[in-house]
């Protein structure tokens, strides 16, 4: 998609609908209860409900409906299939699908496939999968801008006939030179006053493939002195001898975004065309084209603020570079800020939707939302829904000397203390166990309450054990802890009421299943990557740590991809698609520690 030069936002007049305040203030609307949130009603299969919250866009839509300007609300989400969706896109998705559902209308998915050079079927497929995963559904309303190439061509001819478009022979560089600047008007092209007949003939020959790429363009004839650079005879069509994923070699001229977008909206009967603020300066052109073409309906464009997040870069072009330059493994590498990466990493879509609810629509906020807020919403969902399991990431052998050699006991473990209906499961317990290496210190400092020589701790859902000895290898490294257990403490309580200061997770050595565990940290090491120039320089070298030789409880061997569990005391984890029955691989979704509350305390967030 080619974007023309923009005027500063202030020069195109105030945005009547803008809301000040940015995204750092308190959320504009209180959190509603878990169910029945307005934006939740945009979910597939849910029936429309009365909006429970409002924002400046919903207010506009509501007024249009109330005052009879619109009978059926139609919105659209219009991705260009030139990359995977990133975390910013769901803001637009939730807004467009949410509004359609709330007002009993519908939302179209329209691929803006006007640039065959950068667009691929892989992206079309991934975008659809991502929207579905987020919980939204376009029903029968799947469209492509390329469906309208014939109609758009005919309308371009109409503009030429009306003396409102002309074929320009200037090169792209010359067009730029003639365009003027923010302070100086542009200059007319020497080809601007061609006759209508000559323009018609040349445009037809452009279409017929008679000219090479870049030789000529079709431009609207508006005003080279307009204070809005987008109105200085914008390019409508360019020559591109490229095979299109859908129309093949039928076309060698392609409409630009500005010529395709509003007209596609009009063809589809879109009533509210919601886009991000960088298109605000394109709105006069959007309206000019609608006013000057015999379009079947009158859509209106409204702008809202892009979502930005700290520690994150949201630009498909940049994300594509991370992939092509090997900084990450793929578009869905769990460190990427793409929707498919979040899915792979085990983020529940509900967490993302709740985050978007809290962020709200925001008219003019350019500041970045803190990523901890997203993590907080994701943890809130996972805390409620994720089954608890045992896993040991850095194993240390523990032998219970007074526990019978062959004996295996089944310990009853609670699946989710937040959800009694999740029930319990049996975890095998035996004489030889694995515990976390970090949970033992031979010479502990005063604040360390976990296992140490002579000390008693609780093994969760099992017994109290007391460390009696430490076994080391030749190099002095601890390889085994010897303990005794108190058979009177089965289930984790002592009759005499004594309470160890620590409760550890554990696995039976014989029953534990080996796994690889991938720990993820932020992809960038500073909150504003690229602020000093190159975001590549701000990549966090430790964004991924792969642990081999981890161990997990037997039930986890069957956990399907797409489900996230809590490894007790360690964080939230999910199987990676790389996982096979013979070689389990888990991703850390998030650690347990929620820093959002701390940030709030510091006054850094809402
Ligand atoms: P990028 O600049 O990352 O490539 P884009 O705007 O070019 O993004 P499109 O595929 O053209 O991506 O966008 C589809 C829709 O998603 C557009 O309506 C766009 O305004 C919206 N969108 C893109 N990024 C964001 C964001 N960060 N926050 C909210 N909406 C966004
Ligand atoms: Mg784009």
């Amino acid at each position: 998609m080619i974007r023309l030069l923009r005027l500063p936002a202030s020069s195109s007049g105030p945005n009547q609908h803008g809301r000040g305040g940015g995204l750092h203030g308190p959320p504009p609307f209180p959190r509603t209860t878990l169910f029945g949130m307005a934006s939740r009603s945009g979910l597939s299969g849910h029936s429309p409900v009365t909006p429970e919250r409002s924002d400046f866009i919903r207010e506009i839509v509501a007024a249009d409906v109330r005052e009879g300007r619109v009978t059926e609300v139609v919105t659209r989400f219009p991705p260009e299939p030139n990359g995977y969706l990133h975390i910013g896109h769901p803001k637009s998705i939730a807004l467009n699908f949410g509004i359609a559902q709330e007002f009993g209308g519908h939302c179209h998915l329209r691929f803006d496939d006007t640039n065959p050079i950068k667009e691929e079927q892989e992206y079309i497929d991934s975008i659809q999968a991502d929207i579905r995963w987020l919980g939204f559904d376009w029903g029968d309303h799947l469209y492509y801008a390329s469906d309208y190439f014939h109609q758009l061509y005919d309308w371009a001819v109409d503009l030429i006939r009306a003396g409102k478009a002309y074929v320009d022979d200037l090169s792209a560089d010359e067009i730029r030179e003639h365009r003027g600047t923010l302070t100086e008007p542009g200059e007319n092209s020497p080809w601007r006053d061609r006759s209508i007949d000559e323009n018609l003939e040349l445009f037809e020959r452009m279409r017929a493939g008679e000219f090479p790429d870049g030789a000529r363009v079709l431009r609207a004839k508006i005003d080279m002195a307009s204070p809005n650079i987008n109105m200085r005879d914008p390019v409508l069509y360019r020559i591109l001898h490229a095979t299109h994923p859908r129309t093949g070699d039928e076309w060698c001229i392609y409409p630009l975004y500005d010529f395709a977008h509003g007209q596609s909206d009009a063809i589809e009967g879109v009533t509210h065309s919601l886009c991000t603020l960088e298109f605000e300066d394109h709105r006069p052109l959007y309206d000019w084209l609608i006013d000057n073409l015999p379009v079947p309906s009158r859509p209106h464009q409204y702008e809202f603020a892009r979502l930005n997040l700290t520690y994150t870069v949201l630009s498909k072009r940049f994300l594509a570079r991370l992939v092509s330059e090997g900084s990450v493994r793929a578009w869905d590498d769990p460190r990427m800020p793409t929707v498919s990466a979040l899915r792979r990493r085990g983020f529940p879509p509900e967490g993302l939707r709740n985050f978007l609810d809290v962020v709200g629509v925001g008219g003019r906020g350019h500041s970045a939302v803190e990523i901890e807020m997203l993590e907080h919403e994701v943890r809130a969902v996972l805390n409620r829904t994720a089954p608890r399991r045992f896993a040991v990431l850095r194993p240390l052998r523990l032998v219970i000397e007074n526990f019978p050699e062959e004996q295996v006991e089944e310990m009853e473990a609670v699946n989710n203390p937040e959800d009694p209906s999740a029930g319990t499961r049996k975890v095998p317990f035996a004489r030889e166990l694995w515990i976390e290496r970090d949970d033992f210190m031979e010479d502990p400092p005063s604040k360390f309450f976990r296992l140490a020589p002579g000390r008693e701790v609780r093994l969760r859902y099992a017994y109290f054990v007391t460390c009696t000895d430490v076994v080391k290898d030749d190099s002095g490294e601890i390889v085994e802890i010897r303990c005794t257990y108190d058979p009177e403490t089965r289930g984790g309580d002592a009759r005499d009421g004594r309470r160890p200061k620590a409760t550890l997770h554990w696995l039976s050595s014989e029953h534990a299943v080996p796994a690889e565990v991938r720990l993820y940290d932020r992809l960038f090491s500073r909150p504003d990557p690229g602020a000093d120039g190159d975001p590549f320089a701000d990549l966090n070298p430790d964004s991924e740590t792969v642990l081999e030789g981890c161990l997990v409880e037997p039930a986890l061997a069957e956990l399907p991809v797409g489900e996230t569990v809590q490894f007790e005391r360690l964080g939230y984890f999910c199987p990676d698609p790389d996982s096979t029955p013979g070689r389990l691989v888990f991703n850390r979704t998030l650690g347990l520690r929620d820093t959002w509350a701390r940030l709030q305390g510091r006054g850094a967030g809402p």
Side-chain angles (χ1 to χ4, degrees), residues 178-205:
H178 280 71
R179 191 175 286 138
T181 63
L182 294 177
T183 50
E184 288 163 36
E187 250 179 86
N188 285 354
S189 162
W191 309 103
R192 196 176 197 260
D193 294 317
R194 277 182 157 141
S195 72
I196 288 174
D197 285 342
E198 192 185 355
N199 282 318
L200 286 173
E201 187 207 316
L202 283 172
F203 189 49
E204 203 179 302
R205 290 173 61 198

PDB file of all heavy atoms in Angstrom, residues 178-205:
ATOM      1  N   HIS A 178       7.020  17.538  -7.951  1.00  0.00           N
ATOM      2  CA  HIS A 178       5.950  18.483  -8.260  1.00  0.00           C
ATOM      3  C   HIS A 178       4.948  18.652  -7.123  1.00  0.00           C
ATOM      4  O   HIS A 178       4.076  19.507  -7.199  1.00  0.00           O
ATOM      5  CB  HIS A 178       5.168  18.015  -9.499  1.00  0.00           C
ATOM      6  CG  HIS A 178       5.863  18.333 -10.801  1.00  0.00           C
ATOM      7  ND1 HIS A 178       7.005  17.686 -11.205  1.00  0.00           N
ATOM      8  CD2 HIS A 178       5.562  19.219 -11.785  1.00  0.00           C
ATOM      9  CE1 HIS A 178       7.377  18.149 -12.394  1.00  0.00           C
ATOM     10  NE2 HIS A 178       6.525  19.090 -12.766  1.00  0.00           N
ATOM     11  N   ARG A 179       5.055  17.774  -6.135  1.00  0.00           N
ATOM     12  CA  ARG A 179       3.963  17.734  -5.155  1.00  0.00           C
ATOM     13  C   ARG A 179       4.008  18.926  -4.203  1.00  0.00           C
ATOM     14  O   ARG A 179       3.020  19.239  -3.545  1.00  0.00           O
ATOM     15  CB  ARG A 179       4.028  16.423  -4.380  1.00  0.00           C
ATOM     16  CG  ARG A 179       2.794  16.182  -3.535  1.00  0.00           C
ATOM     17  CD  ARG A 179       2.814  14.832  -2.874  1.00  0.00           C
ATOM     18  NE  ARG A 179       2.547  13.777  -3.831  1.00  0.00           N
ATOM     19  CZ  ARG A 179       3.189  12.618  -3.875  1.00  0.00           C
ATOM     20  NH1 ARG A 179       4.156  12.377  -3.025  1.00  0.00           N
ATOM     21  NH2 ARG A 179       2.880  11.720  -4.773  1.00  0.00           N
ATOM     22  N   GLY A 180       5.147  19.586  -4.082  1.00  0.00           N
ATOM     23  CA  GLY A 180       5.249  20.690  -3.133  1.00  0.00           C
ATOM     24  C   GLY A 180       5.511  20.152  -1.737  1.00  0.00           C
ATOM     25  O   GLY A 180       5.798  18.972  -1.554  1.00  0.00           O
ATOM     26  N   THR A 181       5.395  21.037  -0.762  1.00  0.00           N
ATOM     27  CA  THR A 181       5.672  20.642   0.619  1.00  0.00           C
ATOM     28  C   THR A 181       4.522  21.113   1.489  1.00  0.00           C
ATOM     29  O   THR A 181       3.529  21.643   0.997  1.00  0.00           O
ATOM     30  CB  THR A 181       6.963  21.311   1.128  1.00  0.00           C
ATOM     31  OG1 THR A 181       6.735  22.738   1.125  1.00  0.00           O
ATOM     32  CG2 THR A 181       8.148  20.986   0.235  1.00  0.00           C
ATOM     33  N   LEU A 182       4.709  20.941   2.779  1.00  0.00           N
ATOM     34  CA  LEU A 182       3.670  21.382   3.702  1.00  0.00           C
ATOM     35  C   LEU A 182       3.466  22.896   3.628  1.00  0.00           C
ATOM     36  O   LEU A 182       2.380  23.395   3.884  1.00  0.00           O
ATOM     37  CB  LEU A 182       4.054  20.993   5.133  1.00  0.00           C
ATOM     38  CG  LEU A 182       4.096  19.493   5.416  1.00  0.00           C
ATOM     39  CD1 LEU A 182       4.566  19.230   6.832  1.00  0.00           C
ATOM     40  CD2 LEU A 182       2.719  18.867   5.192  1.00  0.00           C
ATOM     41  N   THR A 183       4.537  23.604   3.275  1.00  0.00           N
ATOM     42  CA  THR A 183       4.433  25.064   3.256  1.00  0.00           C
ATOM     43  C   THR A 183       4.319  25.644   1.849  1.00  0.00           C
ATOM     44  O   THR A 183       3.953  26.799   1.677  1.00  0.00           O
ATOM     45  CB  THR A 183       5.670  25.680   3.944  1.00  0.00           C
ATOM     46  OG1 THR A 183       6.836  25.071   3.380  1.00  0.00           O
ATOM     47  CG2 THR A 183       5.644  25.449   5.431  1.00  0.00           C
ATOM     48  N   GLU A 184       4.657  24.821   0.820  1.00  0.00           N
ATOM     49  CA  GLU A 184       4.587  25.337  -0.546  1.00  0.00           C
ATOM     50  C   GLU A 184       3.598  24.533  -1.371  1.00  0.00           C
ATOM     51  O   GLU A 184       3.553  23.310  -1.254  1.00  0.00           O
ATOM     52  CB  GLU A 184       5.954  25.205  -1.238  1.00  0.00           C
ATOM     53  CG  GLU A 184       7.004  26.157  -0.728  1.00  0.00           C
ATOM     54  CD  GLU A 184       8.390  25.686  -1.149  1.00  0.00           C
ATOM     55  OE1 GLU A 184       8.529  25.135  -2.268  1.00  0.00           O
ATOM     56  OE2 GLU A 184       9.311  25.839  -0.330  1.00  0.00           O
ATOM     57  N   PRO A 185       2.836  25.207  -2.199  1.00  0.00           N
ATOM     58  CA  PRO A 185       1.898  24.470  -3.052  1.00  0.00           C
ATOM     59  C   PRO A 185       2.641  23.615  -4.058  1.00  0.00           C
ATOM     60  O   PRO A 185       3.824  23.847  -4.329  1.00  0.00           O
ATOM     61  CB  PRO A 185       1.110  25.579  -3.759  1.00  0.00           C
ATOM     62  CG  PRO A 185       1.982  26.785  -3.694  1.00  0.00           C
ATOM     63  CD  PRO A 185       2.813  26.657  -2.461  1.00  0.00           C
ATOM     64  N   GLY A 186       1.941  22.643  -4.617  1.00  0.00           N
ATOM     65  CA  GLY A 186       2.553  21.838  -5.661  1.00  0.00           C
ATOM     66  C   GLY A 186       2.464  22.533  -7.007  1.00  0.00           C
ATOM     67  O   GLY A 186       1.932  23.639  -7.133  1.00  0.00           O
ATOM     68  N   GLU A 187       3.019  21.862  -8.015  1.00  0.00           N
ATOM     69  CA  GLU A 187       3.033  22.405  -9.379  1.00  0.00           C
ATOM     70  C   GLU A 187       2.232  21.460 -10.261  1.00  0.00           C
ATOM     71  O   GLU A 187       2.365  20.244 -10.133  1.00  0.00           O
ATOM     72  CB  GLU A 187       4.460  22.321  -9.892  1.00  0.00           C
ATOM     73  CG  GLU A 187       5.208  23.603 -10.064  1.00  0.00           C
ATOM     74  CD  GLU A 187       6.591  23.243 -10.561  1.00  0.00           C
ATOM     75  OE1 GLU A 187       6.758  23.091 -11.794  1.00  0.00           O
ATOM     76  OE2 GLU A 187       7.491  23.059  -9.709  1.00  0.00           O
ATOM     77  N   ASN A 188       1.503  22.030 -11.188  1.00  0.00           N
ATOM     78  CA  ASN A 188       0.753  21.155 -12.091  1.00  0.00           C
ATOM     79  C   ASN A 188       1.699  20.333 -12.957  1.00  0.00           C
ATOM     80  O   ASN A 188       2.739  20.818 -13.397  1.00  0.00           O
ATOM     81  CB  ASN A 188      -0.133  21.991 -13.002  1.00  0.00           C
ATOM     82  CG  ASN A 188      -1.354  22.519 -12.255  1.00  0.00           C
ATOM     83  OD1 ASN A 188      -1.581  22.162 -11.093  1.00  0.00           O
ATOM     84  ND2 ASN A 188      -2.122  23.363 -12.920  1.00  0.00           N
ATOM     85  N   SER A 189       1.308  19.130 -13.228  1.00  0.00           N
ATOM     86  CA  SER A 189       2.065  18.306 -14.174  1.00  0.00           C
ATOM     87  C   SER A 189       1.850  18.860 -15.586  1.00  0.00           C
ATOM     88  O   SER A 189       0.749  19.326 -15.915  1.00  0.00           O
ATOM     89  CB  SER A 189       1.552  16.866 -14.114  1.00  0.00           C
ATOM     90  OG  SER A 189       1.966  16.163 -15.265  1.00  0.00           O
ATOM     91  N   PRO A 190       2.881  18.807 -16.413  1.00  0.00           N
ATOM     92  CA  PRO A 190       2.688  19.253 -17.807  1.00  0.00           C
ATOM     93  C   PRO A 190       1.642  18.410 -18.543  1.00  0.00           C
ATOM     94  O   PRO A 190       1.153  18.818 -19.602  1.00  0.00           O
ATOM     95  CB  PRO A 190       4.068  19.088 -18.437  1.00  0.00           C
ATOM     96  CG  PRO A 190       4.878  18.260 -17.496  1.00  0.00           C
ATOM     97  CD  PRO A 190       4.279  18.411 -16.139  1.00  0.00           C
ATOM     98  N   TRP A 191       1.276  17.268 -18.019  1.00  0.00           N
ATOM     99  CA  TRP A 191       0.307  16.384 -18.696  1.00  0.00           C
ATOM    100  C   TRP A 191      -1.097  16.561 -18.159  1.00  0.00           C
ATOM    101  O   TRP A 191      -2.007  15.844 -18.538  1.00  0.00           O
ATOM    102  CB  TRP A 191       0.738  14.912 -18.526  1.00  0.00           C
ATOM    103  CG  TRP A 191       2.168  14.690 -18.910  1.00  0.00           C
ATOM    104  CD1 TRP A 191       3.231  14.532 -18.084  1.00  0.00           C
ATOM    105  CD2 TRP A 191       2.683  14.635 -20.240  1.00  0.00           C
ATOM    106  NE1 TRP A 191       4.386  14.391 -18.798  1.00  0.00           N
ATOM    107  CE2 TRP A 191       4.079  14.435 -20.141  1.00  0.00           C
ATOM    108  CE3 TRP A 191       2.112  14.754 -21.524  1.00  0.00           C
ATOM    109  CZ2 TRP A 191       4.914  14.346 -21.245  1.00  0.00           C
ATOM    110  CZ3 TRP A 191       2.944  14.645 -22.623  1.00  0.00           C
ATOM    111  CH2 TRP A 191       4.335  14.455 -22.470  1.00  0.00           C
ATOM    112  N   ARG A 192      -1.261  17.531 -17.269  1.00  0.00           N
ATOM    113  CA  ARG A 192      -2.531  17.658 -16.555  1.00  0.00           C
ATOM    114  C   ARG A 192      -3.685  18.047 -17.477  1.00  0.00           C
ATOM    115  O   ARG A 192      -4.849  17.733 -17.188  1.00  0.00           O
ATOM    116  CB  ARG A 192      -2.369  18.712 -15.464  1.00  0.00           C
ATOM    117  CG  ARG A 192      -3.462  18.681 -14.400  1.00  0.00           C
ATOM    118  CD  ARG A 192      -3.132  19.700 -13.318  1.00  0.00           C
ATOM    119  NE  ARG A 192      -3.900  19.468 -12.095  1.00  0.00           N
ATOM    120  CZ  ARG A 192      -4.984  20.154 -11.766  1.00  0.00           C
ATOM    121  NH1 ARG A 192      -5.413  21.109 -12.553  1.00  0.00           N
ATOM    122  NH2 ARG A 192      -5.630  19.882 -10.653  1.00  0.00           N
ATOM    123  N   ASP A 193      -3.372  18.730 -18.565  1.00  0.00           N
ATOM    124  CA  ASP A 193      -4.464  19.229 -19.400  1.00  0.00           C
ATOM    125  C   ASP A 193      -4.661  18.448 -20.694  1.00  0.00           C
ATOM    126  O   ASP A 193      -5.173  18.966 -21.681  1.00  0.00           O
ATOM    127  CB  ASP A 193      -4.262  20.725 -19.666  1.00  0.00           C
ATOM    128  CG  ASP A 193      -4.397  21.507 -18.372  1.00  0.00           C
ATOM    129  OD1 ASP A 193      -5.339  21.184 -17.603  1.00  0.00           O
ATOM    130  OD2 ASP A 193      -3.538  22.375 -18.089  1.00  0.00           O
ATOM    131  N   ARG A 194      -4.264  17.213 -20.659  1.00  0.00           N
ATOM    132  CA  ARG A 194      -4.563  16.339 -21.791  1.00  0.00           C
ATOM    133  C   ARG A 194      -6.062  16.318 -22.057  1.00  0.00           C
ATOM    134  O   ARG A 194      -6.866  16.440 -21.125  1.00  0.00           O
ATOM    135  CB  ARG A 194      -4.142  14.910 -21.445  1.00  0.00           C
ATOM    136  CG  ARG A 194      -2.683  14.672 -21.691  1.00  0.00           C
ATOM    137  CD  ARG A 194      -2.345  13.225 -21.364  1.00  0.00           C
ATOM    138  NE  ARG A 194      -1.154  12.894 -22.096  1.00  0.00           N
ATOM    139  CZ  ARG A 194      -0.167  12.143 -21.638  1.00  0.00           C
ATOM    140  NH1 ARG A 194      -0.250  11.593 -20.447  1.00  0.00           N
ATOM    141  NH2 ARG A 194       0.872  11.911 -22.372  1.00  0.00           N
ATOM    142  N   SER A 195      -6.413  16.042 -23.318  1.00  0.00           N
ATOM    143  CA  SER A 195      -7.848  15.975 -23.628  1.00  0.00           C
ATOM    144  C   SER A 195      -8.440  14.710 -23.026  1.00  0.00           C
ATOM    145  O   SER A 195      -7.732  13.734 -22.763  1.00  0.00           O
ATOM    146  CB  SER A 195      -8.053  15.961 -25.144  1.00  0.00           C
ATOM    147  OG  SER A 195      -7.646  14.705 -25.653  1.00  0.00           O
ATOM    148  N   ILE A 196      -9.732  14.758 -22.824  1.00  0.00           N
ATOM    149  CA  ILE A 196     -10.429  13.592 -22.282  1.00  0.00           C
ATOM    150  C   ILE A 196     -10.193  12.385 -23.172  1.00  0.00           C
ATOM    151  O   ILE A 196      -9.918  11.277 -22.696  1.00  0.00           O
ATOM    152  CB  ILE A 196     -11.931  13.916 -22.118  1.00  0.00           C
ATOM    153  CG1 ILE A 196     -12.091  14.896 -20.947  1.00  0.00           C
ATOM    154  CG2 ILE A 196     -12.755  12.646 -21.893  1.00  0.00           C
ATOM    155  CD1 ILE A 196     -13.487  15.421 -20.737  1.00  0.00           C
ATOM    156  N   ASP A 197     -10.272  12.591 -24.495  1.00  0.00           N
ATOM    157  CA  ASP A 197     -10.095  11.458 -25.415  1.00  0.00           C
ATOM    158  C   ASP A 197      -8.714  10.847 -25.296  1.00  0.00           C
ATOM    159  O   ASP A 197      -8.550   9.630 -25.289  1.00  0.00           O
ATOM    160  CB  ASP A 197     -10.344  11.897 -26.862  1.00  0.00           C
ATOM    161  CG  ASP A 197     -11.836  12.076 -27.122  1.00  0.00           C
ATOM    162  OD1 ASP A 197     -12.637  11.526 -26.305  1.00  0.00           O
ATOM    163  OD2 ASP A 197     -12.199  12.772 -28.090  1.00  0.00           O
ATOM    164  N   GLU A 198      -7.706  11.726 -25.207  1.00  0.00           N
ATOM    165  CA  GLU A 198      -6.345  11.197 -25.085  1.00  0.00           C
ATOM    166  C   GLU A 198      -6.188  10.417 -23.774  1.00  0.00           C
ATOM    167  O   GLU A 198      -5.588   9.345 -23.729  1.00  0.00           O
ATOM    168  CB  GLU A 198      -5.339  12.354 -25.150  1.00  0.00           C
ATOM    169  CG  GLU A 198      -3.909  11.858 -25.317  1.00  0.00           C
ATOM    170  CD  GLU A 198      -2.872  12.983 -25.258  1.00  0.00           C
ATOM    171  OE1 GLU A 198      -3.271  14.169 -25.190  1.00  0.00           O
ATOM    172  OE2 GLU A 198      -1.680  12.660 -25.282  1.00  0.00           O
ATOM    173  N   ASN A 199      -6.758  10.964 -22.693  1.00  0.00           N
ATOM    174  CA  ASN A 199      -6.699  10.261 -21.400  1.00  0.00           C
ATOM    175  C   ASN A 199      -7.384   8.899 -21.464  1.00  0.00           C
ATOM    176  O   ASN A 199      -6.869   7.905 -20.953  1.00  0.00           O
ATOM    177  CB  ASN A 199      -7.354  11.116 -20.303  1.00  0.00           C
ATOM    178  CG  ASN A 199      -6.428  12.226 -19.827  1.00  0.00           C
ATOM    179  OD1 ASN A 199      -5.232  11.985 -19.651  1.00  0.00           O
ATOM    180  ND2 ASN A 199      -6.973  13.415 -19.638  1.00  0.00           N
ATOM    181  N   LEU A 200      -8.554   8.873 -22.110  1.00  0.00           N
ATOM    182  CA  LEU A 200      -9.288   7.597 -22.222  1.00  0.00           C
ATOM    183  C   LEU A 200      -8.450   6.578 -22.976  1.00  0.00           C
ATOM    184  O   LEU A 200      -8.338   5.419 -22.567  1.00  0.00           O
ATOM    185  CB  LEU A 200     -10.622   7.817 -22.940  1.00  0.00           C
ATOM    186  CG  LEU A 200     -11.718   8.516 -22.114  1.00  0.00           C
ATOM    187  CD1 LEU A 200     -12.922   8.826 -22.999  1.00  0.00           C
ATOM    188  CD2 LEU A 200     -12.129   7.654 -20.918  1.00  0.00           C
ATOM    189  N   GLU A 201      -7.846   7.047 -24.062  1.00  0.00           N
ATOM    190  CA  GLU A 201      -7.067   6.127 -24.884  1.00  0.00           C
ATOM    191  C   GLU A 201      -5.839   5.616 -24.119  1.00  0.00           C
ATOM    192  O   GLU A 201      -5.547   4.425 -24.102  1.00  0.00           O
ATOM    193  CB  GLU A 201      -6.625   6.848 -26.166  1.00  0.00           C
ATOM    194  CG  GLU A 201      -5.964   5.921 -27.162  1.00  0.00           C
ATOM    195  CD  GLU A 201      -4.977   6.664 -28.073  1.00  0.00           C
ATOM    196  OE1 GLU A 201      -5.325   7.765 -28.549  1.00  0.00           O
ATOM    197  OE2 GLU A 201      -3.867   6.135 -28.264  1.00  0.00           O
ATOM    198  N   LEU A 202      -5.149   6.552 -23.448  1.00  0.00           N
ATOM    199  CA  LEU A 202      -3.939   6.148 -22.725  1.00  0.00           C
ATOM    200  C   LEU A 202      -4.256   5.204 -21.562  1.00  0.00           C
ATOM    201  O   LEU A 202      -3.535   4.247 -21.300  1.00  0.00           O
ATOM    202  CB  LEU A 202      -3.199   7.385 -22.208  1.00  0.00           C
ATOM    203  CG  LEU A 202      -2.403   8.157 -23.256  1.00  0.00           C
ATOM    204  CD1 LEU A 202      -1.880   9.463 -22.654  1.00  0.00           C
ATOM    205  CD2 LEU A 202      -1.233   7.301 -23.776  1.00  0.00           C
ATOM    206  N   PHE A 203      -5.347   5.496 -20.866  1.00  0.00           N
ATOM    207  CA  PHE A 203      -5.704   4.643 -19.721  1.00  0.00           C
ATOM    208  C   PHE A 203      -6.023   3.222 -20.207  1.00  0.00           C
ATOM    209  O   PHE A 203      -5.623   2.233 -19.598  1.00  0.00           O
ATOM    210  CB  PHE A 203      -6.892   5.249 -18.962  1.00  0.00           C
ATOM    211  CG  PHE A 203      -7.180   4.560 -17.650  1.00  0.00           C
ATOM    212  CD1 PHE A 203      -6.167   4.308 -16.721  1.00  0.00           C
ATOM    213  CD2 PHE A 203      -8.474   4.154 -17.329  1.00  0.00           C
ATOM    214  CE1 PHE A 203      -6.436   3.676 -15.501  1.00  0.00           C
ATOM    215  CE2 PHE A 203      -8.743   3.519 -16.113  1.00  0.00           C
ATOM    216  CZ  PHE A 203      -7.735   3.285 -15.201  1.00  0.00           C
ATOM    217  N   GLU A 204      -6.720   3.171 -21.355  1.00  0.00           N
ATOM    218  CA  GLU A 204      -7.027   1.860 -21.922  1.00  0.00           C
ATOM    219  C   GLU A 204      -5.748   1.123 -22.319  1.00  0.00           C
ATOM    220  O   GLU A 204      -5.608  -0.080 -22.107  1.00  0.00           O
ATOM    221  CB  GLU A 204      -7.937   2.046 -23.133  1.00  0.00           C
ATOM    222  CG  GLU A 204      -8.749   0.820 -23.456  1.00  0.00           C
ATOM    223  CD  GLU A 204      -9.653   1.085 -24.659  1.00  0.00           C
ATOM    224  OE1 GLU A 204     -10.470   2.030 -24.575  1.00  0.00           O
ATOM    225  OE2 GLU A 204      -9.513   0.374 -25.655  1.00  0.00           O
ATOM    226  N   ARG A 205      -4.814   1.865 -22.869  1.00  0.00           N
ATOM    227  CA  ARG A 205      -3.543   1.230 -23.264  1.00  0.00           C
ATOM    228  C   ARG A 205      -2.716   0.822 -22.043  1.00  0.00           C
ATOM    229  O   ARG A 205      -2.011  -0.178 -22.082  1.00  0.00           O
ATOM    230  CB  ARG A 205      -2.754   2.171 -24.183  1.00  0.00           C
ATOM    231  CG  ARG A 205      -3.427   2.300 -25.571  1.00  0.00           C
ATOM    232  CD  ARG A 205      -2.755   3.342 -26.435  1.00  0.00           C
ATOM    233  NE  ARG A 205      -1.354   3.015 -26.694  1.00  0.00           N
ATOM    234  CZ  ARG A 205      -0.440   3.892 -27.113  1.00  0.00           C
ATOM    235  NH1 ARG A 205      -0.782   5.164 -27.327  1.00  0.00           N
ATOM    236  NH2 ARG A 205       0.786   3.518 -27.335  1.00  0.00           N
TER     237      ARG A 205
END
